[in-house]
Amino acid sequence: MEGSEAIRPDKLGAAAAPEAWKGIGAMTGVERRGDVVICKAERGGAAVLFPAPGIFRIKFFYGGEADLTSTIAIDPAYRQKTESEIQVEETEKSLTLRTSVMEVELEKGSFMLTARDLEGRVISRQTSIAFDPRGGARAVYDMSPESHFYGLGEKSSFLDKRGERYTNWNTDVYAPHMPEIEALYQSIPFLIHMNGGESCGLFLDNPGLTEVDMRSHGVAYTMSCATGAYDLYVIAGPRLKDVVMRYTALTGRIQLPPRWALGYHQSRYSYMDQREVLELARTFREKQIPCDVIYLDIHYMDEYRVFTFDPVRFPDPEGMMKELRAMGIRIVPIVDPGVKNDPKYRIYREGVQQKHFCTKLEGEIYLGEVWPGTSAFPDFTDDRTAAWWGDQHDFYTSYGIEGIWNDMNEPAIFNESKTMDLDVIHRNNGDMKTHEELHNLYGMLMSKATSEGLERHMDNRRPFVLTRAGYAGIQRYAAVWTGDNRSFWEHMALAMPMVLNMGLSGLPFSGPDIGGFAHHTSGELLVRWTQMGVFFPYCRNHSSIDTIRQEPWSFGPATEKILRDYIGLRYRWMPHLYNLFQEASATGLPVIRPLVLEYPDDPKVTNLCDQFLLGDSVLVAPVYRPDTDHRAVYLPEGKWIHYWTGEELEGGRHILAESPLEIMPMYMKAGTILPEGPLKQHADDQADDALAFHVYGAEAREGFAASYSLYEDDGASFDYRQQQFSRLNVSLTGKEGALELSYSYAHREYQADRDRLTFKLHKPGFTACSVEGLASVTEEQLRQGAEGWLLDEASGELIIQVKDGKPSGELIIQVKDGKPSGSLNIFAVK
Ligand code: GLC
C-alpha cells in the first residue's frame, strides 16, 4: 500500500519553483558612515568602501542590513582599513566614488557598477547582479574579444582561462586531473581580467561554493556564489603586476621561509620505517645528491593517529632525528585533520572532553572515515581549538622537527560527497556557520593553526608548512603542492600553467609532485620533470604506494648524473632563489612568472605556458614530451644568451632549441646579473661561501645597464624583522670602451659567512681588457681568495674578485680595441 510519499512534490513535475532570482531594485538612499557608504535599495543594498586607493569593495545585502565583516582571507591590516581620501559625487542617476587611482560609478536605477581608471577607461563593469532569496547570488560582467583571464589559483587547463568554467569547492581529486576538471584542492576566487592593455582583478570573498564562468555567456562572464555574502573587491591595475601586488597587499604575502625549505625534498607514500629513512638519507650523501628534507607519510604513525610514532616501525625517533640532523637532513611528517575515534587515544579524548571537534547542531560529534578509520575533525574556526591543535605540535618540535605537511584538509572524507556533511556546524568564535558556508576555509585554518603552533614552539626559528587545501590568503601560512597528479607527460605540462596561475593568485610558493604521484614514472620522464621542477618554487619528488621507485638513482647512473647536476644547479642558484622569495614576501610578485607578466603587450605570450621565467629574466623552456631532442622556444624582444652554450640570440621570434636529454633549454636576458653560491649538499651546508655574480651579455657601450639587489639573512630565524639582514646592490653601466662596476651595501646588519665577492662576466664581447686598480691574477690565486682579475680567453669570461670587507667599491673595466689598457688605479674604497 502506498502512503502519502507517493505524492511528494519532488516526484511530480510540479517540484520546480518559479524563477525566484531577483535584483535588489533601485537605489533608494545613500548614507555615509565614516568612510563607508551605504546604498539602500528596494530589496537590500550594498556597503561600499575603498580599503586602499586602488581597491574597491562592495558587499551586497539582500534584505537585512549591511554587515562589513570580512573573512580571514583579508590580511588583518586590511580588515578594518578604509581609505579616507574618497570623493563622493551624487547625481539623480548615479553615485560616483573616486580615489587617486580609480573611480567607481553605481547607476541608481539598475545598480550597474562601472570601474574606471582616472583617464576614464572602463576597467571592469558589472552589468547586473541577481539574488536567490534562499541564498546565493550571480553577477554578470562585460568581456570583449580582447579579454584574457588569469589567476583562480589551482586550476587545470591552459594559462588563459578564457572559455573555461570553474567551481571553487576544495575537493580531494585522486583522479582524474583533466583539463575539464572544475574543482581541485584549493579555492581562490580571484580572477584577473586583462583587456587590451589594461588589467583589473575581481576577488569574490566567499568561502562557500563559488563559480566563475567565462564560457557560457558570449560577451559576458559571471561570478556567482551558492550561499553567503556577495563580497566583491575590484582591484585596479593598470598592469598585470599592479593587480597582483594590490591583491597580495589585500590578502597578505608569504613570510620568508627558512632557507632549507627551498632545497630539494624527497618523499614517498611511504618510507616505511626508520631503517629505510636513514638508508635513504645516507644514499643521498654517498651519491652527493643535494637534499634538505625527507617526508614521513602516514605509515610513521601508530595506526594513523596524528601526534604519534609507530613504536615498531619507528622505535627510536629521537635517535633517527639526531643521525639525520648530523647529515643535514630534516624530517617533515604528514599531519591530517582526522583524529581517530578511540577513547584510549589522548588527542581524541581531549578533543571530546574540551569540545574541539566539529558537531551537528544538535551537539553530536561529526564522524567520518579517513585513514585511521572513523575519525573526528577539529573545528579550526574556533581560536580556542586552533590554539589547542597548534600546541599539540610540541610533540614534533621536541624532536627538532620544524616543518609539517598538512594533507586531506579539504577536508577529504571517504564518502560520496568526498567531504563533511554540509550541515556540520562551525563555532566560528561565536558567529556559528554551517560547513556549507565555510567549506573552503577548513584547510587554510588548519594550516594557520599549525604554522602558529609551530612558531610558538620553535624559539625564533621559522617554521615550514605545506598544505594541500587552501583558500585566498593561504600564502600567509603555507606552501602548496598540487596534490595527486600522475606520472603522465601531460601532467608535467599541466603543472606549468597551474603553478604560474597560482603565482598570479598570490601564491608564490607552490609546485607539483615531481615525477608524478600515481602511476609509474620512467627515467626519461623523471629527468625532464626534475629539470623543470628544480626551477619551481617548491621542489619535491613524491610518489605513491605501489608505484615504481622514483628516487634520483632509480633509473641507473646516466639518469642519476643528470638529476644530480640539475638539483645541484638549484643549490648553486640558492642566493638568487632566496632573493626571489624575499621579493615575493615584499611585493607579492611570483617567483616563477608567465611571460605575459613581464611582456603584457606581446600578443604571442598571452597564453604561453610551456615556458616560463624564473624572476624576470631567466627563461626556462622544459621538454615535456618523450623522445624529444628539439623544441620550439619563443624569445621575447631583446637579446638572449643561451645558458649552456653562451650563444647570443636576438628575440622577438621563435627558435628551435636543441634539447638532448641532459639539456633543458634556458636563456638569460642580456643584462641579467645572477648571484651564484657554491654547490652545497643542503642549504645550511658549511661549504665555502664564496658568492659570484654572473653577468650575462654585458656590453662596453653607452646605454648598457644592469643591476641586482641581493638580500641576505641567516635564513633561519626571525631576526630579519629586527633589521638583521644585508642588502648588497650591484650595478654595471656601459661606457664607450669601458664598463663601470659598482657594488655597495645599502644595509649590513647581517654578515654573510664569506670573505670575497666575485663577478663573472660571461662572454662580454671583448677579448682583452684591464680592470683599473686590480692586478691580473691566476686561477689559482683567485681560488686562494686573492683580489684581482682574470680573462679566460678560451671562454671569453672575465672574472673579477675583491675582498668582501668593504661597504662598497667601484671598478672600471677598460676595454680597448681588444687590447688591454693601462691601469689607472681608480678603484675606490668608500
Ligand atoms: C593523499 C596525498 C598524498 C599522500 C597520500 C597518503 O593522497 O595527496 O600526497 O601521499 O594521501 O598520505
Side-chain angles (χ1 to χ4, degrees):
M1 207 198 335
E2 283 187 321
S4 306
E5 221 242 326
I7 49 167
R8 259 170 59 164
D10 56 348
K11 290 202 167 169
L12 307 170
E19 182 52 63
W21 291 75
K22 285 197 172 73
I24 46 178
M27 207 181 287
T28 53
V30 176
E31 186 191 311
R32 272 196 89 148
R33 287 188 205 154
D35 301 324
V36 180
V37 178
I38 310 286
C39 307
K40 293 256 170 66
E42 290 158 351
R43 286 179 290 278
V48 301
L49 57 146
F50 280 91
I55 306 177
F56 171 74
R57 178 180 176 198
I58 181 160
K59 190 168 178 183
F60 291 92
F61 53 101
Y62 187 87
E65 274 295 309
D67 145 38
L68 280 176
T69 50
S70 311
T71 73
I72 192 189
I74 307 301
D75 192 83
Y78 274 77
R79 272 182 226 160
Q80 303 299 329
K81 206 168 164 239
T82 49
E83 166 67 25
S84 44
E85 306 278 306
I86 316 173
Q87 293 168 28
V88 183
E89 208 178 286
E90 196 179 344
T91 66
E92 205 186 314
K93 291 209 162 120
S94 68
L95 177 74
T96 304
L97 300 101
R98 196 170 297 118
T99 67
S100 55
V101 174
M102 66 194 287
E103 68 166 41
V104 175
E105 183 190 343
L106 283 167
E107 263 185 28
K108 286 187 170 172
S110 63
F111 256 90
M112 182 165 87
L113 183 163
T114 307
R116 297 188 181 86
D117 65 16
L118 292 185
E119 268 92 64
R121 279 189 297 261
V122 175
I123 57 172
S124 179
R125 174 170 283 146
Q126 184 192 85
T127 51
S128 67
I129 182 161
F131 295 81
D132 175 352
R134 296 184 193 89
R138 183 173 60 228
V140 181
Y141 302 85
D142 278 351
M143 68 188 221
S144 81
E146 280 85 52
S147 291
H148 300 282
F149 294 96
Y150 306 104
L152 291 176
E154 186 187 58
K155 297 293 181 205
S156 56
S157 194
F158 293 100
L159 184 73
D160 182 355
K161 299 304 186 194
R162 193 188 168 99
E164 304 288 355
R165 202 195 92 130
Y166 294 107
T167 306
N168 293 306
W169 183 255
N170 289 357
T171 311
D172 170 22
V173 186
Y174 176 66
H177 292 195
M178 304 283 271
E180 80 263 36
I181 197 97
E182 294 198 346
L184 283 163
Y185 314 88
Q186 297 270 329
S187 292
I188 313 217
F190 168 59
L191 181 72
I192 305 176
H193 181 189
M194 188 169 97
N195 194 3
E198 206 146 342
S199 290
C200 171
L202 292 184
F203 170 45
L204 177 56
D205 185 13
N206 181 310
L209 180 95
T210 55
E211 195 187 84
V212 186
D213 187 350
M214 285 111 356
R215 174 187 302 154
S216 320
H217 309 288
V219 291
Y221 66 99
T222 57
M223 274 181 108
S224 43
C225 59
T227 177
Y230 204 92
D231 192 359
L232 179 78
Y233 293 80
V234 181
I235 300 168
R239 298 173 312 157
L240 210 50
K241 275 190 180 171
D242 299 313
V243 177
V244 175
M245 289 194 281
R246 290 189 210 282
Y247 170 75
T248 53
L250 181 70
T251 58
R253 296 173 178 142
I254 53 164
Q255 302 213 29
L256 257 185
R259 193 166 19 237
W260 61 264
L262 310 190
Y264 173 82
H265 300 200
Q266 183 65 48
S267 185
R268 182 165 175 87
Y269 167 31
S270 298
Y271 293 121
M272 288 295 184
D273 56 33
Q274 188 169 319
R275 189 198 46 77
E276 192 181 1
V277 170
L278 285 168
E279 197 50 43
L280 183 78
R282 283 185 212 115
T283 312
F284 270 102
R285 291 299 175 251
E286 272 159 34
K287 291 182 171 290
Q288 293 279 289
I289 300 174
C291 177
D292 264 276
V293 187
I294 292 175
Y295 284 67
L296 298 185
D297 208 323
I298 51 176
H299 290 95
Y300 80 87
M301 292 179 269
D302 181 11
E303 294 181 320
Y304 313 122
R305 290 175 185 86
V306 285
F307 310 107
T308 66
F309 274 104
D310 183 304
V312 179
R313 294 178 193 273
F314 290 85
D316 180 17
E318 202 171 331
M320 177 185 81
M321 237 54 92
K322 227 168 125 195
E323 223 177 310
L324 290 170
R325 196 37 96 81
M327 288 186 264
I329 290 193
R330 286 182 161 78
I331 283 292
V332 171
I334 198 166
V335 176
D336 295 347
V339 174
K340 188 174 176 63
N341 166 303
D342 169 5
K344 292 206 288 279
Y345 169 34
R346 180 182 66 82
I347 305 290
Y348 183 73
R349 260 206 327 258
E350 242 178 67
V352 174
Q353 284 165 345
Q354 299 175 10
K355 299 197 180 326
H356 289 306
F357 294 129
C358 296
T359 63
K360 291 287 179 97
L361 184 63
E362 295 74 16
E364 135 216 8
I365 292 177
Y366 170 79
L367 296 173
E369 286 290 308
V370 269
W371 307 120
T374 309
S375 304
F377 298 83
D379 186 1
F380 300 112
T381 65
D382 228 32
D383 290 347
R384 192 182 59 89
T385 297
W388 168 74
W389 185 263
D391 284 339
Q392 303 308 320
H393 289 77
D394 69 347
F395 172 79
Y396 298 109
T397 54
S398 67
Y399 289 111
I401 286 171
E402 300 181 333
I404 294 291
W405 170 20
N406 283 164
D407 187 22
M408 304 288 279
N409 52 347
E410 294 70 29
I413 295 173
F414 303 153
N415 62 17
E416 212 173 302
S417 76
K418 293 188 167 184
T419 194
M420 229 174 229
D421 293 354
L422 299 185
D423 61 352
V424 164
I425 289 301
H426 292 297
R427 286 186 292 277
N428 199 30
N429 296 322
D431 181 17
M432 196 185 267
K433 293 256 156 68
T434 60
H435 187 68
E436 183 182 11
E437 292 166 290
L438 297 188
H439 173 76
N440 290 336
L441 278 185
Y442 192 84
M444 169 150 152
L445 288 168
M446 179 185 186
S447 291
K448 176 176 186 283
T450 305
S451 164
E452 291 173 353
L454 286 173
E455 203 174 313
R456 284 197 294 280
H457 292 95
M458 277 177 53
D459 191 23
N460 193 35
R461 294 178 73 76
R462 299 174 215 168
F464 167 71
V465 178
L466 178 71
T467 184
R468 193 170 74 174
Y471 179 65
I474 182 64
Q475 65 271 10
R476 306 205 298 272
Y477 308 111
V480 170
W481 100 102
T482 59
D484 296 345
N485 62 5
R486 301 189 160 227
S487 299
F488 297 164
W489 289 91
E490 291 82 353
H491 278 193
M492 177 192 160
L494 188 76
M496 281 186 268
M498 190 181 278
V499 172
L500 292 171
N501 265 322
M502 301 241 264
L504 297 180
S505 311
L507 265 170
F509 198 1
S510 73
D513 284 342
I514 293 173
F517 176 68
H519 196 57
H520 307 282
T521 199
S522 66
E524 189 188 0
L525 178 57
L526 186 62
V527 164
R528 292 309 196 182
W529 206 322
T530 308
Q531 287 172 334
M532 173 180 91
V534 298
F535 295 102
F536 272 27
Y538 176 63
C539 178
R540 180 181 73 160
N541 172 321
H542 180 48
S543 56
S544 185
I545 202 159
D546 287 337
T547 61
I548 198 167
R549 302 296 297 210
Q550 64 181 42
E551 289 76 21
W553 48 85
S554 304
F555 296 92
T559 307
E560 182 186 320
K561 179 183 181 320
I562 304 175
L563 297 180
R564 177 187 297 105
D565 289 348
Y566 276 84
I567 295 170
L569 191 56
R570 181 174 177 96
Y571 279 79
R572 286 198 278 122
W573 284 20
M574 191 63 88
H576 182 51
L577 200 59
Y578 193 64
N579 214 50
L580 289 170
F581 271 85
Q582 197 280 330
E583 187 187 344
S585 75
T587 65
L589 291 176
V591 172
I592 63 168
R593 304 174 185 177
L595 274 75
V596 70
L597 191 66
E598 297 294 336
Y599 301 91
D601 300 323
D602 184 341
K604 289 228 163 27
V605 303
T606 49
N607 202 6
L608 187 62
C609 52
D610 65 351
Q611 54 181 78
F612 58 87
L613 294 163
L614 174 70
D616 60 4
S617 65
V618 178
L619 197 154
V620 178
V623 174
Y624 53 93
R625 292 182 68 82
D627 302 323
T628 301
D629 59 9
H630 283 80
R631 66 153 286 178
V633 177
Y634 179 67
L635 298 176
E637 54 167 18
K639 197 184 282 177
W640 296 83
I641 291 105
H642 192 293
Y643 178 72
W644 302 106
T645 64
E647 186 190 354
E648 285 190 3
L649 295 148
E650 209 42 62
R653 64 186 175 122
H654 282 90
I655 57 162
L656 189 62
E658 261 187 74
S659 54
L661 190 60
E662 67 283 5
I663 296 292
M664 177 181 62
M666 291 161 63
Y667 303 86
M668 322 297 279
K669 179 130 202 205
T672 296
I673 301 182
L674 194 142
E676 236 186 80
L679 174 62
K680 295 184 174 188
Q681 293 305 304
H682 60 96
D684 302 328
D685 194 357
Q686 288 307 305
D688 168 24
D689 231 329
L691 182 78
F693 288 92
H694 289 248
V695 182
Y696 295 87
E699 287 182 72
R701 60 159 175 86
E702 288 291 342
F704 174 82
S707 61
Y708 195 89
S709 181
L710 177 72
Y711 170 91
E712 290 174 291
D713 63 20
D714 64 17
S717 78
F718 286 108
D719 290 353
Y720 67 90
R721 291 181 181 162
Q722 268 71 53
Q723 304 297 306
Q724 304 291 302
F725 64 87
S726 72
R727 190 164 280 289
L728 171 59
N729 295 324
V730 174
S731 67
L732 268 166
T733 314
K735 301 258 157 17
E736 217 32 66
L739 271 166
E740 213 172 277
L741 167 67
S742 6
Y743 61 93
S744 67
Y745 281 95
H747 185 93
R748 207 179 189 186
E749 295 294 307
Y750 166 76
Q751 293 271 353
D753 177 21
R754 64 164 172 264
D755 59 356
R756 61 189 104 157
L757 287 177
T758 309
F759 304 93
K760 220 169 169 188
L761 279 67
H762 289 256
K763 292 208 171 176
F766 44 84
T767 52
C769 68
S770 72
V771 180
E772 292 174 0
L774 283 187
S776 125
V777 288
T778 62
E779 229 178 302
E780 182 50 29
Q781 286 171 308
L782 281 183
R783 238 193 318 276
Q784 300 288 330
E787 289 199 320
W789 63 271
L790 169 78
L791 184 64
D792 178 345
E793 291 199 9
S795 66
E797 280 168 13
L798 170 64
I799 306 167
I800 298 169
Q801 191 159 277
V802 294
K803 294 277 179 221
D804 187 17
K806 304 146 192 158
S808 66
E810 274 171 18
L811 300 165
I812 308 285
I813 303 160
Q814 291 283 354
V815 183
K816 232 182 192 177
D817 300 332
K819 292 191 195 81
S821 73
S823 147
L824 292 175
N825 206 23
I826 58 164
F827 171 44
V829 177
K830 287 183 187 157

